[in-house]
Amino acid sequence: MRELEDKIRQDGQVLDGNVLKVDNFLNHQIDPQLMYAIGAEFKRLFADQPITKILTVESSGIAPAVMAGLMLKVPVVFARKHKSLTLKNDLYTATVYSYTKKVSNEISISQKFLSADDRVLIIDDFLANGQAVEGLIDIIDAAHAQLEGVGIVIEKTFQKGRQLLDARGIRTESLARIKAFEDGQVVFVAASDD
Amino acid sequence: MRELEDKIRQDGQVLDGNVLKVDNFLNHQIDPQLMYAIGAEFKRLFADQPITKILTVESSGIAPAVMAGLMLKVPVVFARKHKSLTLKNDLYTATVYSYTKKVSNEISISQKFLSADDRVLIIDDFLANGQAVEGLIDIIDAAHAQLEGVGIVIEKTFQKGRQLLDARGIRTESLARIKAFEDGQVVFVAASDD
């Protein structure tokens, strides 16, 4: 998605340890117009799938997921990283390790929001090592729901997440695919690389 | 906002302790179409103000704030409740006590996303005791930015948040105003109550 790649080139910051900081349009400050365009692109990519629900993780997944839900006309459920007082029973849970933050979080969703009838699209901001997506897949499996695909805003193709999903035969669509960071610059996968 | 009141009547659950659970369209599962309508309503209410930025708190504030930002064509910044590894310096912070969860959280935003030139609209999902909004106002004050108004999805008029904001002369617009819970039912402020 050209508009997103341009934004990453213009506003993304490459930090040590292969971390791309996009906190001025996605992870902390959010560009709503760009999120709307991202939602439209996910609709274009997944319009042929019979999706009934979108699943994401708080907090950075919420904006792109809600725009995708707006376009695909389905509800969005965000997994919580911490249990709250009013949501303590009847949860599906999974443990997710964050390589960036070096901590494990439990993620959970209420069982009432995911059923065996659901055909689920996972949306998340980043795909790197694939831990968050794997956690969401565990939850979908626990609910006996069906995974229709995974939509990612920014993928780092050189980390293991994509391989894990491909090995499981999961349709994964990423709007920007980064193959390397060179001299602090982002190098995207070119059409000719595919 | 009629559509929102109807949704609260239909799907909201009144729990002990004056807690309204709206986790099937706002706090956990999100109804994107309703959020879009909420964004349009916030635009109608605040279109006359020279807003440059929307400020909210993760996670439940994000969906309505991003839709309001889409309509008003301004960026959204969400305050984080926990510091992250890639966001540790140069923060504005405030302490927020949650009566529902009975814990204090530190909320923070990067200083680079709020400046003295900003005219800020706060958007949040609930106004009850006003602690989250007060924390955001502390952050706006610390940045020497100007608060233009507060937009709330659901207000509980019988708790102290509204009074605190009125006493400070802050323009506060709530899309649904609850004056009481009676026998497990929600009673909204009627037009004749205003």
Side-chain angles (χ1 to χ4, degrees), chain A residues 27 29-30 58-59 76 80, chain B residues 27 30 58-59 76 80:
Chain A
N27 293 143
Q29 181 166 260
I30 299 170
E58 67 179 353
S59 288
V76 172
R80 292 189 174 277
Chain B
N27 294 144
I30 299 170
E58 65 179 355
S59 286
V76 173
R80 291 188 172 279

Side-chain angles (χ1 to χ4, degrees), chain A residues 38-126:
Chain A
I38 283 170
E41 183 67 4
F42 281 132
K43 179 184 176 177
R44 190 184 70 77
L45 291 164
F46 290 104
D48 58 322
Q49 316 268 114
I51 293 158
T52 64
K53 193 153 285 192
I54 289 172
L55 196 57
T56 189
V57 183
E58 67 179 353
S59 288
S60 300
I62 294 174
V66 168
M67 290 302 183
L70 179 70
M71 301 289 177
L72 289 164
K73 297 189 169 60
V74 296
V76 172
V77 179
F78 64 87
R80 292 189 174 277
K81 283 182 185 155
H82 302 274
K83 293 175 188 176
S84 80
L85 200 70
T86 54
L87 285 170
K88 58 188 165 185
N89 300 314
D90 306 320
L91 300 175
Y92 295 120
T93 63
T95 301
V96 172
Y97 180 73
S98 165
Y99 287 86
T100 313
K101 299 186 184 176
K102 297 180 179 60
V103 292
S104 285
N105 275 305
E106 195 166 353
I107 63 169
S108 63
I109 75 158
S110 283
Q111 292 187 2
K112 64 180 171 178
F113 295 131
L114 199 58
S115 80
D117 297 329
D118 277 315
R119 304 177 75 126
V120 182
L121 173 62
I122 290 173
I123 297 281
D124 207 5
D125 56 337
F126 270 96

